[in-house]
Amino acid sequence: MSTAKKTKTGGTKRKLEKSENVEPAMKKPKVSLPSITKREFMEHAEPMPVKLSNGLEFELKPRQNRTGSMGFLLSEHVMFALGAKKVAVQMTINATATKSKDWDEGDVSDGESEKNAAKKKKATPEKGDTFTKKEFKKLAKTMKVTMFGEEFEAEVKETKKGGMQWTKSGIKIKEYELNGHQFDLQVSINFTCKRSTDWKSGSDEDESESGGEESEESEDDDVKETKTKTKTKTRTGS
């Protein structure tokens, strides 16, 4: 049902009732651009610079994972200075292109695969100093990591297995552009201290142990005092 209303020019203006159906404006269909191929990624992707707040600089290198996804990887064995000591660290930064497992395969033989990258890893010949976990937490500061034109903060944390590390997960790089294509990157940072699962807790544990020794000594003194009183009573009774 509709009603007509007179206008100033003498005509009528039709007013639509709520009950009448009005077709919504047609939306333009989204144009789906073809995905970048894995071969294209390896041919055009370049190493990405990484800078840490402690002054060290590295590179994220393009690679193909064993799972078939594509992205960038930094994997290094390095030494970090902490006060007068140094700690041996396994550095890993992994940046994976979202949905890249579904990209056309192509030929990535000229690129660096995860398997080949693993073969090139060299353990550092130096051994880091031993810390207590409390000492490490006191000396280690939040590590600032600059990459992809942004700065991220890796926090000092203890792992579920008791190891110490700098870590930051859930990083998203939106609309990374490569050779006319755009895709997102999921990034994680993990700098793990080697053999830190074997580190002692620190001074709290030492204080606990010393407290036990003091109580033991006190108990010995009480025993000695009791024995002395017993001997005194025995002599008085005799």
Side-chain angles (χ1 to χ4, degrees):
M1 180 178 179
S2 63
T3 59
K5 184 178 180 182
K6 289 185 178 181
T7 64
K8 292 180 179 179
T9 57
T12 59
K13 184 177 181 182
R14 187 170 179 268
K15 183 179 179 182
L16 298 177
E17 299 292 342
K18 292 183 180 179
S19 59
E20 294 188 64
N21 295 325
V22 179
E23 293 184 3
M26 296 295 292
K27 292 183 179 180
K28 292 182 179 180
K30 291 183 178 180
V31 179
S32 180
L33 297 176
S35 298
I36 187 173
T37 66
K38 295 180 180 180
R39 178 178 181 177
E40 189 178 2
F41 176 86
M42 295 305 300
E43 286 179 348
H44 295 278
E46 297 181 356
M48 300 297 297
V50 176
K51 187 173 182 179
L52 308 185
S53 54
N54 62 5
L56 298 179
E57 296 184 11
F58 304 91
E59 284 187 338
L60 276 164
K61 295 182 179 179
R63 60 88 179 258
Q64 180 182 27
N65 299 321
R66 289 189 180 95
T67 59
S69 60
M70 308 299 292
F72 299 87
L73 173 70
L74 167 61
S75 181
E76 296 282 351
H77 299 266
V78 296
M79 304 296 293
F80 284 178
L82 288 180
K85 290 186 175 182
K86 54 189 177 182
V87 58
V89 177
Q90 168 61 54
M91 287 182 59
T92 304
I93 299 179
N94 193 3
T96 304
T98 305
K99 298 181 181 180
S100 56
K101 287 175 67 174
D102 300 329
W103 293 354
D104 289 341
E105 289 294 330
D107 182 10
V108 296
S109 58
D110 294 335
E112 184 174 6
S113 67
E114 186 178 35
K115 187 175 180 181
N116 291 334
K119 290 180 180 179
K120 295 180 181 180
K121 293 179 185 176
K122 293 182 180 179
T124 174
E126 290 186 88
K127 291 184 178 180
D129 295 313
T130 300
F131 293 77
T132 64
K133 292 177 182 178
K134 188 170 185 178
E135 178 188 14
F136 175 81
K137 290 177 181 178
K138 184 178 180 180
L139 292 172
K141 306 298 181 184
T142 298
M143 186 73 69
K144 293 181 180 180
V145 182
T146 303
M147 57 184 173
F148 298 106
E150 298 183 45
E151 184 178 271
F152 307 95
E153 293 187 346
E155 303 288 342
V156 177
K157 292 185 179 180
E158 184 170 352
T159 67
K160 292 181 179 179
K161 294 183 178 180
M164 302 305 302
Q165 65 176 359
W166 288 268
T167 183
K168 175 71 175 178
S169 58
I171 300 172
K172 292 183 180 180
I173 307 296
K174 292 286 188 179
E175 298 180 349
Y176 178 80
E177 188 169 343
L178 180 65
N179 198 37
H181 299 276
Q182 287 185 342
F183 48 86
D184 296 343
L185 293 169
Q186 295 279 354
V187 186
S188 62
I189 301 171
N190 287 290
F191 300 163
T192 305
C193 301
K194 293 185 177 182
R195 300 182 181 178
S196 55
T197 53
D198 298 330
W199 292 353
K200 293 182 179 180
S201 297
S203 58
D204 289 341
E205 181 178 318
D206 296 338
E207 289 172 4
S208 171
E209 292 175 357
S210 63
E213 293 174 358
E214 288 176 3
S215 61
E216 187 176 347
E217 289 175 2
S218 299
E219 184 179 354
D220 291 343
D221 291 339
D222 292 339
V223 172
K224 289 178 182 179
E225 185 177 352
T226 303
K227 288 181 179 179
T228 303
K229 288 180 179 180
T230 303
K231 288 181 181 180
T232 303
K233 288 181 180 181
T234 303
R235 288 177 183 176
T236 303
S238 60

